[in-house]
Amino acid sequence: MTNAMSTLARVDWQRITAYTINNPRQAFINAAVAYFVLRQVAKGVKTVTIYGLQHVLSALWRTVAGGLIRHVRRTPGAGAVVQRNIAKAIKDIENSMNIDIPGETKFVSIPEHPMSDEEILAVLERRQNEAGVDWKNGRASGAVYHGGEELARLTNQAYAMFNLSNPLHPGVFPGLRRLEAEVVRMVLNLYNGSSECCGTTTSGGTESIIMAVRAHVVWGRKTRGIERPNIVVPITAHAAFDKAAEYFDIGITHVPVDQKTQRVEVKALERAIDSDTVLIVGSSATYPH
């Protein structure tokens, strides 16, 4: 701070003022260029302090290499080969997801004639396990959260009881509102939430993360006047944080983790935080890690 003040004291402010008055247009251009350059330098310095010089150079090489590849793809011969390979990869994905089963009807339009209950249930039973994966006995990783047949029967009965209810109308379904409030309070208590804390149920983990990010963005704008908010997340954080950043057009900084322990590098995390940060994410290692 002392060095900065001494530097400012040595600036010839009278000369700068006179130049600005005599050359307002050029002074404005100079200021704009200086602002842009300083902003880019600040971003570059921040990136280096967070990720390290080696990571930055690797990222720069990937950017340059990607640009070269894009130029090569535009050449007549190479471009045609690349496009054929891309088309083949897309076709392979489509074929793997749209498997034709002999004798099975494809319903691509509303049937002209009504189907009986038995016919509908028969279709559902055939499609219940088309892949043949024995997930009930643990032959699938992370796809199904199965609590056993007894719990499945109980949840099926609960779904049936509230199948036609609508939580948007608590006056009609006050018991449903009460159930939601109780579940939210249970979760808040798990995190030592005070009586002032609140919450809501969502359709799943992705929506929960998106709504949490939105809450912090709104808080930052209303309480701190932050116009360009950003969030800081470990690279192991759920992909929904990136989706939320894209949805709400906010900045997101990914912080590296220790390769052995998968714990976030705290020093890098500290350097990633700035005055516009509205959310700092803590994350256990996710499936890809």
Side-chain angles (χ1 to χ4, degrees):
M1 186 67 178
T2 303
N3 292 335
M5 294 300 294
S6 61
T7 301
L8 290 175
R10 290 195 295 270
V11 174
D12 190 346
W13 294 105
Q14 290 183 346
R15 185 177 180 182
I16 293 176
T17 303
Y19 178 84
T20 303
I21 294 173
N22 296 326
N23 305 276
R25 184 172 180 273
Q26 188 61 44
F28 175 78
I29 294 174
N30 293 344
V33 171
Y35 172 78
F36 176 79
V37 172
L38 289 174
R39 185 178 178 87
Q40 297 305 312
V41 170
K43 288 174 62 176
V45 172
K46 181 178 180 180
T47 302
V48 172
T49 58
I50 295 173
Y51 300 106
L53 183 60
Q54 182 178 357
H55 177 89
V56 172
L57 293 176
S58 298
L60 179 61
W61 165 247
R62 289 194 296 270
T63 301
V64 173
L68 292 174
I69 292 173
R70 284 193 294 272
H71 283 294
V72 171
R73 286 175 56 184
R74 294 192 181 99
T75 60
V81 173
V82 172
Q83 289 303 321
R84 281 199 300 270
N85 289 331
I86 293 176
K88 181 180 181 300
I90 293 175
K91 191 63 178 178
D92 290 342
I93 294 173
E94 291 178 349
N95 292 336
S96 67
M97 300 182 67
N98 300 307
I99 302 174
D100 289 327
I101 300 177
E104 185 65 38
T105 303
K106 282 187 175 181
F107 295 94
V108 295
S109 60
I110 299 175
E112 295 183 3
H113 304 287
M115 298 173 64
S116 66
D117 293 355
E118 291 74 16
E119 290 174 320
I120 294 174
L121 290 173
V123 172
L124 296 178
E125 288 177 0
R126 290 196 302 271
R127 298 192 177 185
Q128 186 178 25
N129 194 22
E130 281 185 351
V133 178
D134 186 14
W135 55 265
K136 290 185 178 180
N137 292 315
R139 300 298 181 180
S141 174
V144 179
Y145 304 97
H146 185 40
E149 294 296 335
E150 184 177 353
L151 179 60
R153 284 193 297 270
L154 176 61
T155 55
N156 288 337
Q157 290 176 348
Y159 289 147
M161 292 174 64
F162 290 91
N163 183 32
L164 298 178
S165 61
N166 189 339
L168 291 178
H169 298 277
V172 182
F173 303 100
L176 187 60
R177 184 206 61 77
R178 189 191 307 275
L179 287 172
E180 180 184 26
E182 290 172 346
V183 170
V184 168
R185 175 44 56 185
M186 291 178 190
V187 176
L188 288 173
N189 288 340
L190 290 175
Y191 290 90
N192 300 316
S194 68
S195 59
E196 297 181 355
C197 294
C198 59
T200 185
T201 55
T202 66
S203 60
T206 293
E207 187 186 3
S208 293
I209 290 174
I210 290 174
M211 295 304 294
V213 173
R214 181 184 181 277
H216 285 80
V217 169
V218 172
W219 169 82
R221 285 174 176 160
K222 289 188 175 182
T223 63
R224 294 175 53 192
I226 297 176
E227 295 297 330
R228 297 186 61 82
N230 68 72
I231 62 177
V232 179
V233 306
I235 60 172
T236 53
H238 196 286
F241 287 103
D242 293 84
K243 186 179 292 186
E246 182 179 351
Y247 280 176
F248 303 132
D249 192 24
I250 63 174
I252 180 170
T253 301
H254 299 87
V255 180
V257 299
D258 185 276
Q259 294 300 310
K260 292 183 178 180
T261 65
Q262 294 293 299
R263 291 183 175 181
V264 68
E265 296 182 6
V266 178
K267 292 296 183 182
L269 179 69
E270 291 177 348
R271 290 190 288 265
I273 301 169
D274 59 32
S275 58
D276 290 332
T277 300
V278 296
L279 174 64
I280 304 169
V281 176
S283 173
S284 298
T286 53
Y287 288 125
H289 301 88

